[in-house]
């Protein structure tokens, strides 16, 4: 390292990408974060060839001209496009400029997810609310003195109000799990007991849908977890298997030990799920068929809840499905005391 390199060693200690350019725009030094963000070795290259952006070139000229710091947002195209915020700080009269680059790609993706979520949740709430309001107006007007119509409309309103309640309950469940996600639950939970409880809780739904539920293996598998949350997982999976995979007439639950995990699988023999949907099923409000989900009382949040309970348990969810053959949803959770 020569003496002239020394002043630039500081940039290696910075938490953001940093580049120093000379008066002609040639890069004299760059830290590893800047090279990572831009995907190439930087010293010796002209900065305007790397950050090809009119607003950036103008900010650089301005910083040199009046010696004032400038901030500008830049989109870097490429295989993985990135959103950067560049802060340009002139460093003295010989025209050197320090450029700090903050990668906003992840922050912006999270922000977008948050605003999409609020938009989706509001939309889901508004639909039943609009139906309830429309029904009330009808009851106040045209159907005012029609007892038969009144009973029918009240039934509709009750159905829509229940739908809103399910949605709010699921949203609250999700936020409660997310709040506790960093605390791993560690009580001893028997997977077979959870399977039996879920089967019993959903027995009337299964009966109505003419689906028989079998617990195929009864070997004692004990995992480290929270019994109530694991019951919710198995109930969500079993309810889906009955609602969407019920055409096969039967659902099978099995529990086994797989290495250091206990695995519980819920298998149905119904219509299955096309491969394109599988990676997205755990997204909030993602459904293969929105109308079918709504008709069956779905909120589009069941598998998102399963995913977050698994994250909290340091476990995982695997989905295996063949169109026309059925689906298997399996959760694997570390064994108790493993
Ligand atoms: P929902 O409240 O709509 O049931 P989920 O998050 O539980 O929401 O499931 C998301 C979607 O995944 C469902 O709407 C359905 O399209 C699909 N799905 C879930 N389980 C099954 C299954 N066993 N067979 C076929 N499709 C399923």
């Amino acid at each position: 390292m020569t003496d002239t390199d020394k002043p630039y060693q500081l940039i290696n200690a910075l938490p953001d990408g940093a580049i120093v350019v000379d008066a002609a725009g040639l890069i004299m030094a760059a830290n590893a974060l800047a090279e990572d963000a831009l995907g190439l070795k930087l010293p010796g290259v002209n900065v305007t060839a790397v950050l090809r952006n009119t607003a950036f070139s103008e900010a650089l000229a301005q910083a040199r001209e009046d010696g004032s710091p400038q901030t500008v947002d830049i989109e870097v195209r490429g295989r993985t496009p990135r959103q950067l915020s560049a802060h340009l700080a002139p460093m003295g009269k010989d025209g050197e400029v320090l450029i700090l680059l903050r990668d906003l790609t992840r922050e912006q993706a999270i922000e977008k997810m948050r605003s999409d979520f609020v938009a989706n949740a509001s939309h889901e709430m508004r639909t039943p609310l609009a139906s309830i309001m429309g029904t009330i107006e009808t009851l106040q007007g045209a159907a005012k003195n029609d007892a038969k119509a009144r009973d029918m409309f009240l039934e509709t309103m009750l159905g829509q109000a229940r739908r809103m309640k399910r949605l709010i309950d699921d949203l609250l469940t999700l936020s409660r799990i997310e709040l506790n996600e960093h605390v791993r639950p560690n009580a001893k939970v028997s997977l077979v007991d959870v399977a039996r409880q879920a089967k019993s809780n959903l027995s009337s739904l299964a009966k109505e849908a003419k689906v028989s539920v079998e617990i195929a293996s009864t070997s004692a598998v004990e995992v480290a977890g929270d019994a109530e949350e694991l019951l919710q997982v198995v109930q969500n999976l079993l309810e889906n298997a009955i609602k969407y995979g019920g055409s096969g007439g039967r659902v099978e639950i099995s529990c086994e030990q797989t290495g250091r995990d206990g695995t519980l699988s819920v298998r149905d023999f119904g219509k299955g799920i096309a491969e394109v949907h599988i990676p997205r099923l755990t997204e909030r409000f993602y459904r293969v068929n929105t109308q079918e989900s709504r008709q069956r009382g779905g909120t589009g949040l069941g598998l998102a809840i399963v995913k977050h309970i698994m994250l909290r348990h340091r476990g995982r969810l695997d989905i295996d499905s063949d169109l026309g053959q059925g689906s298997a949803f399996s959760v694997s959770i570390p064994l108790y005391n493993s």
Side-chain angles (χ1 to χ4, degrees), residues 123-133 160-161 163-164 167:
H123 177 75
E124 293 288 335
M125 298 275 202
R126 238 165 67 176
T127 317
L129 195 58
S131 159
I132 291 173
M133 286 170 69
Q160 296 297 333
R163 184 171 145 198
M164 285 182 75
L167 193 64

Side-chain angles (χ1 to χ4, degrees), residues 85-214:
S85 166
H87 180 75
L88 296 83
M91 291 207 298
K93 50 185 176 323
D94 52 1
E96 287 178 12
V97 178
L98 171 67
I99 302 165
L100 294 173
L101 297 172
R102 268 190 60 211
D103 194 339
L104 303 179
T105 318
R106 206 177 118 78
E107 253 169 65
Q108 288 186 353
I110 291 173
E111 193 45 50
K112 180 167 183 325
M113 258 166 61
R114 203 172 286 145
S115 66
D116 282 356
F117 173 65
V118 172
N120 280 332
S122 315
H123 177 75
E124 293 288 335
M125 298 275 202
R126 238 165 67 176
T127 317
L129 195 58
S131 159
I132 291 173
M133 286 170 69
T135 315
I136 292 174
E137 276 165 20
T138 315
L139 279 173
Q140 283 173 328
K144 201 170 184 171
N145 299 314
D146 183 340
K148 211 167 142 203
R150 197 170 53 221
D151 285 350
M152 200 182 78
F153 285 130
L154 283 173
E155 201 55 43
T156 309
M157 282 163 64
L158 187 62
Q160 296 297 333
R162 283 196 176 122
R163 184 171 145 198
M164 285 182 75
K165 182 174 183 309
R166 273 197 303 274
L167 193 64
I168 291 165
D169 287 347
D170 278 359
L171 286 170
L172 287 175
T173 302
L174 253 182
S175 87
R176 200 188 55 235
I177 298 161
E178 274 184 320
L179 263 180
N180 291 324
E181 213 155 278
H182 57 286
V183 194
R184 182 180 165 189
N186 60 359
K188 192 199 282 185
V189 184
S190 151
L191 286 183
V192 179
D193 287 353
V194 172
R196 288 198 183 109
Q197 185 68 49
K199 176 181 168 178
S200 149
N201 292 355
L202 294 175
S203 60
S204 44
L205 184 79
K207 205 169 155 198
E208 248 171 66
K210 298 192 172 55
V211 173
S212 74
V213 178
E214 295 155 34

Side-chain angles (χ1 to χ4, degrees), residues 314-336:
R314 314 294 185 260
R316 61 169 207 279
L317 166 70
D318 292 308
I319 306 171
D320 189 17
S321 187
D322 284 314
L323 267 185
Q325 310 274 310
S327 313
F329 287 73
S330 308
V331 284
S332 299
I333 303 135
L335 291 172
Y336 184 73

Side-chain angles (χ1 to χ4, degrees), residues 192 196 215-221 253-255:
V192 179
R196 288 198 183 109
I215 299 181
S217 99
T218 50
S219 60
V221 186
I253 308 180
S254 60
C255 309

